[in-house]
Amino acid sequence: MKNSTTYELAAPGAGLPKLELTIAKILFRLQCLTGNRESFNQRFQEERDKIRDLVVSCRQEDGAARVLIRRLPGLEDSSRDWSVWMTLDHLRIVHLEIAKVFELLGQGIEPQQKVSTATVKPSPDVTGAVVKDYDLSCDVVMSAVAAVKELHTPVRLAHPWFGPMDAFAWHALMAVHIGIHRRQIERILSEIAAG
């Protein structure tokens, strides 16, 4: 386990390296072209189940330990020194924000908010109580998706990396996003186990 306080990380919202972002855009576009509501729902649920399995056996002190990990593809540099609880808090924040986006897009209303990766960073003081809140946020966002009859909405909301996206693309992104952070939790717990 590495102490993150001895390292300088990029500022929140700095994004991904240019080449990685270009590749991510291509892969994300392919996912949007080949996926559908059911496949995105299934992937989201599979990742949610994997996170539940990781967290159910997580001791409180391990969940609270901030660990500097090697950066994963799709993860901003500023996000690689989180604890398990911080990672769940980030997912909770994103799920609740995107649930509002689905509601607006589904009603044909263009959201006025500006999406920023810097504004969805977790609290460093979050506790294990976040597990329940995270789980509820998964239900909230999936209910919001289910309420949108046609995900290919005429209105869009821009993502800072992928540009203007309809509800379908946001749904695709939710499935990818939770997977990135599941891998982050695995790496945090692996670093803790390695001592």
Side-chain angles (χ1 to χ4, degrees):
M1 182 168 47
K2 299 176 184 173
N3 182 340
S4 64
T5 59
T6 61
Y7 294 85
E8 178 125 359
L9 302 176
L16 301 177
K18 193 176 241 183
L19 177 60
E20 182 180 329
L21 180 57
T22 300
I23 294 168
K25 287 179 179 180
I26 293 167
L27 293 175
F28 182 63
R29 178 136 174 83
L30 283 173
Q31 178 170 337
C32 288
L33 290 171
T34 59
N36 57 47
R37 181 191 295 257
E38 292 73 29
S39 66
F40 301 151
N41 283 346
Q42 180 178 354
R43 183 170 178 189
F44 185 93
Q45 187 59 49
E46 287 170 357
E47 295 294 353
R48 181 183 183 182
D49 291 344
K50 289 176 184 176
I51 288 174
R52 183 181 297 124
D53 291 345
L54 290 166
V55 171
V56 75
S57 60
C58 188
R59 299 179 309 170
Q60 285 294 324
E61 59 270 23
D62 291 344
R66 288 183 76 162
V67 178
L68 181 71
I69 61 169
R70 190 174 74 250
R71 195 181 66 76
L72 295 161
L75 188 72
E76 283 191 325
D77 188 58
S78 64
S79 303
R80 65 187 185 95
D81 72 335
W82 293 354
S83 67
V84 171
W85 301 156
M86 289 173 71
T87 307
L88 293 180
D89 192 39
H90 165 72
L91 286 168
R92 177 194 64 80
I93 293 165
V94 169
H95 292 166
L96 295 178
E97 288 297 313
I98 298 306
K100 296 174 195 171
V101 168
F102 283 121
E103 182 179 348
L104 292 172
L105 293 177
Q107 294 173 7
I109 301 169
E110 185 175 339
Q112 296 305 303
Q113 70 196 73
K114 180 178 166 121
V115 177
S116 166
T117 57
T119 63
V120 291
K121 300 300 181 185
S123 167
D125 302 321
V126 68
T127 68
V130 75
V131 174
K132 181 179 177 184
D133 294 335
Y134 151 77
D135 203 45
L136 288 172
S137 78
C138 290
D139 292 334
V140 168
V141 77
M142 294 313 291
S143 293
V145 169
V148 180
K149 291 184 181 180
E150 176 51 62
L151 290 171
H152 291 287
T153 54
V155 291
R156 300 181 179 333
L157 175 65
H159 185 277
W161 301 348
F162 302 112
M165 302 195 318
D166 63 6
F168 184 83
W170 280 103
H171 187 28
L173 186 60
M174 293 305 300
V176 173
H177 181 256
I178 194 171
I180 290 168
H181 291 292
R182 183 263 305 160
R183 289 189 295 279
Q184 179 181 14
I185 291 170
E186 286 176 341
R187 190 160 289 175
I188 291 168
L189 292 176
S190 175
E191 289 283 341
I192 290 170

